[in-house]
Amino acid sequence: MMMMIGEEVGKMIAVGLIWGATNAFMRRGALLWDQFNKSKPPPPRSHHKHHLIIGSIKSWLNIMLFWQYSLPFIVNLSASLTFFALLSDTPISLAVPVTNGTTFAATAVVGMLLGEETRVGPALIGTAFIVLGVYLCVT
């Protein structure tokens, strides 16, 4: 039983790392998408409900075709599938804090590596506390 939990914790940490990294890459992709859209002239405004719905669907399809956003999004969703599979074998009281804690830490670290403006000291201290918390959960 202990060996199985150890293997599952490794998978939970992997899911958290993937979620965290893809969160940072999706944020970067969304910022690039916004820059791309600002360079185009705005579409004509309509107040008809069907135009608003069609416009929303077009916007969603366009961002999904923007690889800088959609690729990390698809990888993130794949990790979500893995997480749900993990929940079938592990207690939720362990899975949620381990994956979410790892996600927060990985998002901060990958964001810094991507050059996001971050208060490095507090981010590293927070990440250290998260790592400590995850360690306490699994021991």
Side-chain angles (χ1 to χ4, degrees):
M1 176 71 173
M2 189 61 159
M3 182 63 163
M4 185 178 91
I5 294 291
E7 290 173 9
E8 299 302 315
V9 167
K11 292 175 187 175
M12 289 178 233
I13 290 171
V15 166
L17 290 172
I18 292 168
W19 276 347
T22 56
N23 284 346
F25 279 103
M26 284 190 298
R27 184 170 42 234
R28 174 175 261 196
L31 291 172
L32 291 171
W33 172 251
D34 284 344
Q35 288 174 353
F36 174 74
N37 277 336
K38 286 179 183 175
S39 68
K40 297 185 329 186
R45 291 300 240 181
S46 174
H47 297 290
H48 298 296
K49 285 186 180 182
H50 69 279
H51 287 278
L52 293 173
I53 293 169
I54 290 171
S56 294
I57 292 170
K58 280 183 180 179
S59 292
W60 183 80
L61 288 173
N62 284 333
I63 197 167
M64 291 314 295
L65 295 173
F66 195 71
W67 72 267
Q68 291 94 332
Y69 180 84
S70 62
L71 185 62
F73 180 69
I74 291 167
V75 173
N76 187 291
L77 287 178
S78 300
S80 295
L81 291 173
T82 304
F83 177 72
F84 285 113
L86 283 170
L87 286 178
S88 67
D89 295 330
T90 57
I92 196 167
S93 60
L94 178 65
V96 170
V98 171
T99 53
N100 287 351
T102 306
T103 299
F104 288 129
T107 300
V109 171
V110 173
M112 284 190 297
L113 293 174
L114 290 176
E116 290 181 12
E117 248 182 70
T118 306
R119 294 176 45 204
V120 177
L124 291 177
I125 290 169
T127 300
F129 279 125
I130 289 170
V131 169
L132 177 63
V134 169
Y135 173 77
L136 292 174
C137 281
V138 299
T139 56

